Structures are given as structure tokens and as C-alpha cells.
Amino acid sequence: AGEYFAELANMEMSFHSMEVVNMLTTETEMPHEFTNLYITNCISTCQNAMDKYLQNRLVRLLCVFLQSLIRHKSVQFQDMFIEVQTFCIEFSRIKEAAALFRLLKTIEGCGVNEAAASSSSV
């Protein structure tokens, strides 16, 4: 199983890979190391994209994906909080990154359960 998760975590970032990871995290208990590695790889892909149009698209996609994980309580953000927050600040010009940043601030202020309930309005 470890090899499977490692391979999945290192897949190229795309809508389809995110869809697979999202389904897996909502339907099964995934190792935190896997989700953290996948998110870290996605952040790196966004930061290293040379084409600005593609970069904006990837950032929007990742932000919506992360909001979905938070809403479904599918991921523990304690380990990644600073990294994801920094990502949001770096791409704050993009509406979805600003929305994710606000959601993270809500989590920081009131805890994950209340934030997940209020994130459906984001």
C-alpha cells in the first residue's frame, strides 16, 4: 500500500488526479503523510509553472480542492498550515487563493469543525 500511496502522491497535478485523491480521502482513511506530500507537490507545481495562464488555472484548481478537503474534514492541516497559508499569500491576487486564506484564518480562529461548517458559504 505504501508504494501505491507514494506513486499517487507523486502523480502530475491535474483535475483528474485531484478528483481521485478527493474521492479517496472522503471515502477512506488516508495516511496524513500521503495527503501532505500530495498537497506539497501540488503547491510546488503551481509555484514552478512558467506559463502564467496555466499557473493561475492550477492555483485556482488547488484552492478549490483544498477547500473541498477542509469542508469534508478529509485532511489534517496542522502540519501544513503555514505552507498552505504562505501559498495563499503568494497567490493572493487570485480570488480562490484569497478565499482559501480567509477559510484558513477562520480555522485558526475557531477550530476545524466550525470552519468546515461555515466554508460551504465561501
Side-chain angles (χ1 to χ4, degrees):
E3 288 178 27
Y4 172 75
F5 288 133
E7 205 52 46
L8 196 55
N10 290 309
M11 279 192 330
E12 185 176 329
M13 180 185 172
S14 69
F15 174 77
H16 296 294
S17 71
M18 286 185 173
E19 196 171 37
V20 168
V21 172
N22 195 25
M23 270 189 344
L24 285 171
T25 57
T26 55
E27 294 184 15
T28 63
E29 184 73 27
M30 300 294 290
H32 297 303
E33 299 80 24
F34 161 74
T35 50
N36 290 355
L37 180 59
Y38 183 76
I39 292 167
T40 299
N41 288 342
C42 288
I43 288 173
S44 179
T45 299
C46 290
Q47 291 169 330
N48 295 327
M50 294 300 184
D51 180 284
K52 285 297 178 193
Y53 174 77
L54 175 63
Q55 185 180 55
N56 290 348
R57 188 173 163 270
L58 292 173
V59 168
R60 288 194 318 269
L61 186 62
L62 179 56
C63 289
V64 171
F65 170 71
L66 292 173
Q67 287 176 7
S68 174
L69 292 180
I70 292 168
R71 267 195 307 279
H72 293 108
K73 301 175 190 146
S74 302
V75 68
Q76 298 292 323
F77 268 108
Q78 292 85 357
D79 303 343
M80 307 240 7
F81 197 81
I82 301 296
E83 186 176 359
V84 174
Q85 207 170 37
T86 303
F87 169 79
C88 291
I89 292 168
E90 181 179 349
F91 294 103
S92 61
R93 70 184 186 282
I94 298 171
K95 180 177 72 170
E96 290 81 356
L100 178 59
F101 184 80
R102 284 192 303 276
L103 178 58
L104 292 173
K105 283 301 191 185
T106 304
I107 290 171
E108 190 177 49
C110 69
V112 175
N113 293 336
E114 294 86 358
S118 68
S119 71
S120 54
S121 63
V122 173

